[in-house]
Amino acid sequence: MSIKKFALAAVLAAVASPALADNCSVVVESNDMMQFNTKEIVVSKACTEFTIELKHVGQLPKAAMGHNIVITKQADMQAAGNDGIAAGLDNDYVKPDDERVLAHTKLIGGGESDTVKFSTEKFEKDGAYEFFCSFPGHSAIMKGVVKVTD
């Protein structure tokens, strides 16, 4: 297998594979091509708290290609995202005190990272939850499912 094919296969496998919890935490990477390295985050209800570390492995600044992770119920994603855009860059594109937002990181640019730790109390097993980037225009591509298990 050529190096290019091997590299492409590795990228595709990373994008398709779920981000699994290890000791109640996960690392998610984002890049300058508006991508997360996973489409699924698995949260165990055995964890009373869960931690997500978001790493921006690109180089562009947050004003141009900023990323965050916002978690909502699937039904609340669109409205919370729209309100986040209206809240603006100074609020990391998250409406302050939005009860629909179950957890979120701050907005980061290339080379930066942020961590959010949150209680799993509000999450129901088999509930419909999503994570997404609320930077304007990103949520159409940068989103995935939060799966809650026992």
Side-chain angles (χ1 to χ4, degrees):
M1 178 181 282
S2 74
I3 292 176
K4 283 184 179 180
K5 286 182 181 178
F6 179 77
L8 179 60
V11 168
L12 291 175
V15 169
S17 66
L20 299 175
D22 180 26
N23 297 324
C24 302
S25 66
V26 68
V27 176
V28 177
E29 293 181 353
S30 60
N31 61 36
D32 288 339
M33 297 180 63
M34 289 178 31
Q35 297 172 331
F36 288 125
N37 68 336
T38 187
K39 296 289 183 189
E40 182 177 87
I41 296 173
V42 179
V43 176
S44 170
K45 283 295 284 180
C47 301
T48 56
E49 291 186 323
F50 193 81
T51 302
I52 297 174
E53 180 182 2
L54 175 63
K55 291 183 177 183
H56 192 317
V57 297
Q59 298 178 355
L60 295 173
K62 74 177 181 179
M65 188 58 67
H67 301 310
N68 61 7
I69 287 184
V70 179
I71 300 175
T72 64
K73 289 183 178 179
Q74 189 176 44
D76 293 333
M77 180 187 156
Q78 187 67 45
N82 289 343
D83 288 347
I85 291 170
L89 178 63
D90 290 342
N91 291 305
D92 295 320
Y93 296 112
V94 177
K95 178 183 172 184
D97 302 318
D98 189 338
E99 293 185 12
R100 299 167 298 189
V101 175
L102 301 172
H104 70 88
T105 64
K106 68 180 184 179
L107 193 72
I108 59 172
E112 298 179 328
S113 65
D114 189 44
T115 301
V116 61
K117 181 184 271 190
F118 55 92
S119 169
T120 61
E121 185 178 291
K122 294 181 181 179
F123 292 83
E124 299 172 9
K125 183 180 179 299
D126 298 325
Y129 303 97
E130 294 208 17
F131 70 95
F132 62 97
C133 175
S134 64
F135 190 95
H138 289 196
S139 66
I141 298 170
M142 296 185 75
K143 62 182 176 179
V145 175
V146 177
K147 183 178 178 183
V148 180
T149 64
D150 284 334

